[in-house]
Amino acid sequence: MPSLKQIRTKVSSVKGTRRIMSAMKLISAVKLQRAQNLLLSYRPYSDAYEGIAKSLATRCDPEWHPLLKRPEESKKLHLVFMTSDRGLCGSFNSNIIRKIDTFLVTDAKKYELVKLSFLGRRGRDHFARREFQVSNSFIGITEKNITSIAKEISTEVTEEFIKGEVDEVMLVYNYFKSAISHVITFKKLLPLEQEETDEENTPIDYLYEPNRKDVLDYVLPKYLEVSMERAIFESATSEQAARMTAMENATRNADEVLRKLTLLFNKTRQAQITRELMDIVNGTEALRKGGSE
Amino acid sequence: MADTIKLQVITPTKLVVDEEVEEVVAPGELGEFGVLVGHIPLITTIVPGELKYKKDGVDRSIIITGGVADVRDDKVNVLTDNVLTPDKVDTEASRKEAEAILEELKDFGGDEKEFKEIEKRLRLAQIKAGIRQV
């Protein structure tokens, strides 16, 4: 049985941890609020861009612009995936990493080449020692540099796609559904997805102003940037949500541990008192017996 | 066919306008263009300027900073980087910026694409400064 002093030390250390956890929970709640506002206001913009890109992909001839081309076979895949830089966010990173691990040994077998790009330290660290062609990794994404990072990485994949170094580009990220739920999403970025059409409903081609080339040159790269930025927003928001949940669980757990420790402490103290009392009673009893004789 | 068009003006931070309107007039790269119900699909880049629309017979307008507009199926999506509200614009700074751009243009030796970029910036600065009528 641990001594009272040992228990007291343990209680104070658990209390300290609990204080940190609950502070982190409050911080991530505030950060979540902020990230969520940014994300929710960004969504209509990126959805609209996606709509335009889809409709262009449906209406345009793949010959018209290098970004519209559709490789006959998809052999080379570039996977861009997003984790967080920091831990303490529950299963947020491990889930997505496990999913990618599974993907790499199953579906990815049909590709001749799989390239990986990372956003976030956790994913990079995990794959650092494995044999994959790592093309790029970004860490330390903040609200300020998010646009330039999105631009950089989308320029990179665009160039690779145009040169034919890759046939397919996919984004993997945590889609933010709500504060308690985020879904790992594989999103195909390139080649561009098309709208569903049927025989009766053949789309009419657009009128382009000032001309087709200028419009495609402007819209398609912009769409890729916007999608990339959106995915980063989604992932960042999910991260804060995951951290908040994890910290809430940790706080609750610490409370539970504290409760148990307090109980143990009281029991131990009581046992000690009882033991001392018994000693005293025994002692006086012995004395009295000795005195009466 | 519906008798209104759905106009959405969207920036990265806000859904600025989301309304059923009768008519839209937007500053396209080749000049202003109007959209009524039944317009054929059109996609155009937008330069800084005034976007006008009519709802329930009332004319309204906002100033947008350029982007792209997508017209199809009686829907107009205007994607712009920003929307200007007059009271938040620093006219003095914008006037100086416009002058600086004009100065820059005096000995300009770049290609047409660069020129277009500069022209757009100039246009935006002038609109902000109130020099150019939108």
Side-chain angles (χ1 to χ4, degrees), chain A residues 37-48:
Chain A
N37 284 343
L38 278 174
L39 171 67
L40 294 185
S41 53
Y42 199 76
R43 271 185 186 164
Y45 187 69
S46 73
D47 283 344

Side-chain angles (χ1 to χ4, degrees), chain A residues 38 41-45 48-49 51-52 55-56 59 195 204-210 214-215 218-219 222, chain B residues 10-15 29-30 33 40-45 66-68 70-73 77 79-81 116:
Chain A
L38 278 174
S41 53
Y42 199 76
R43 271 185 186 164
Y45 187 69
Y49 255 110
I52 295 183
S55 119
L56 281 172
R59 285 160 216 247
E195 277 172 357
I204 322 156
D205 192 19
Y206 275 116
L207 210 66
Y208 299 90
E209 276 184 24
D214 281 5
V215 169
Y218 179 84
V219 174
K222 184 94 182 169
Chain B
I10 313 170
T11 74
T13 50
K14 206 177 171 192
L15 182 59
E29 185 142 356
L30 295 183
F33 64 94
I40 60 164
L42 164 78
I43 186 161
T44 173
T45 43
V68 64
D70 168 34
V71 182
R72 77 192 130 108
D73 308 330
N77 277 332
L79 300 175
T80 167
D81 300 330
K116 267 190 180 165

